[in-house]
Amino acid sequence: SQQGEEDPQALSIQEGENATMNCSYKTSINNLQWYRQNSGRGLVHLILIRSNEREKHSGRLRVTLDTSKKSSSLLITASRAADTASYFCATVSYNYGQNFVFGPGTRLSVLP
Amino acid sequence: DTEVTQTPKHLVMGMTNKKSLKCEQHMGHRAMYWYKQKAKKPPELMFVYSYEKLSINESVPSRFSPECPNSSLLNLHLHALQPEDSALYLCASSQGLAGASHEQYFGPGTRLTVT
């Protein structure tokens, strides 16, 4: 399976702190995407990083990709209570018919 | 309009019922997806339509039958479901297939309960 795996599975921090979530995967990929899901609702796309990119920024989000280690990290800086959600990485690989596979996710709780 | 809509929001059905889930987008996207998500688990891909043609079926049981009547609509027909099929069903769309680096836009989901 090419499924990504997030680490940690759950993370609890105080408002204002930074949150780092990691994602590992098993096969070569075309791109890796991060999504956020508030409880029981649809997913929201956060950022996409292509296999030839190493780092991308979007507002308070920073994503890195290390294809040699088959891993990615999502950093949320200066976290807010509104950042409380589940965060999923998703990988796409042409070798797997362009299937879109989500990792198990990290449940982030930001305490006020 | 960057919204994907899904109806109904909630659905309770018996194992002998036939029902349908509906999904609509008006972003001109040519790829549409159905996912199943159990509580505290990631979404699992069920079907992918590309240019109104079924391109991926992830070995989903035949009691789930997808349909793409046109480029804006995606249906999921349900028949003879089992209680273990109870889940959140998510629809998504993207400009092209995800492998071509297109982000997916998700609807809010339909919460299905099979009794």
Side-chain angles (χ1 to χ4, degrees):
Chain A
S1 166
Q2 66 170 100
Q3 187 174 22
E5 297 182 1
E6 275 92 343
D7 168 36
Q9 291 189 346
L11 179 62
S12 185
I13 60 174
Q14 295 293 133
E15 227 173 1
E17 294 180 337
N18 295 343
T20 299
M21 290 160 270
N22 302 300
C23 169
S24 62
Y25 55 92
K26 298 177 181 178
T27 68
S28 60
I29 60 171
N30 297 96
N31 67 72
L32 185 146
Q33 304 183 24
W34 284 92
Y35 287 78
R36 183 188 75 226
Q37 184 179 34
N38 290 85
S39 181
R41 304 184 67 180
L43 284 77
V44 175
H45 180 264
L46 296 177
I47 201 163
L48 180 154
I49 187 164
R50 294 179 175 80
S51 58
N52 61 351
E53 297 175 313
R54 292 296 167 259
E55 186 172 316
K56 286 190 80 169
H57 296 257
S58 177
R60 293 184 296 112
L61 306 180
R62 173 177 171 258
V63 168
T64 62
L65 179 65
D66 187 335
T67 52
S68 67
K69 295 181 179 179
K70 292 186 170 59
S71 68
S72 172
S73 68
L74 169 67
L75 168 67
I76 304 174
T77 60
S79 62
R80 306 166 181 167
D83 294 328
T84 294
S86 290
Y87 291 82
F88 296 94
C89 70
T91 56
V92 179
S93 170
Y94 283 123
N95 294 334
Y96 287 81
Q98 301 193 29
N99 288 6
F100 202 67
V101 181
F102 284 88
T106 294
R107 293 188 304 279
L108 174 66
S109 297
V110 181
L111 306 175
Chain B
D1 182 3
T2 59
E3 189 179 24
V4 176
T5 59
Q6 289 188 245
T7 55
K9 292 184 179 179
H10 300 276
L11 178 63
V12 179
M13 61 184 291
M15 290 188 284
T16 59
N17 292 158
K18 286 185 180 181
K19 296 287 184 183
S20 296
L21 309 184
K22 297 185 184 301
C23 174
E24 190 167 4
Q25 58 88 12
H26 294 288
M27 294 176 278
H29 289 174
R30 302 317 299 263
M32 296 187 76
Y33 311 76
W34 279 115
Y35 290 88
K36 173 183 177 180
Q37 185 178 27
K38 303 284 275 186
K40 297 186 178 181
K41 296 291 187 182
E44 295 179 1
L45 184 65
M46 300 174 72
F47 302 104
V48 180
Y49 273 83
S50 176
Y51 289 86
E52 301 161 45
K53 287 184 169 39
L54 183 64
S55 65
I56 295 175
N57 176 340
E58 288 287 2
S59 302
V60 179
S62 60
R63 57 186 184 268
F64 295 92
S65 175
E67 178 195 20
C68 190
N70 59 57
S71 59
S72 299
L73 293 174
L74 186 65
N75 298 321
L76 186 63
H77 303 297
L78 314 173
H79 173 55
L81 294 193
Q82 303 297 311
E84 59 264 29
D85 296 321
S86 297
L88 181 67
Y89 287 84
L90 295 163
C91 173
S93 71
S94 60
Q95 184 177 5
L97 287 174
S101 298
H102 294 294
E103 64 184 87
Q104 295 189 17
Y105 291 78
F106 282 81
T110 293
R111 177 75 59 187
L112 174 67
T113 303
V114 182
T115 60

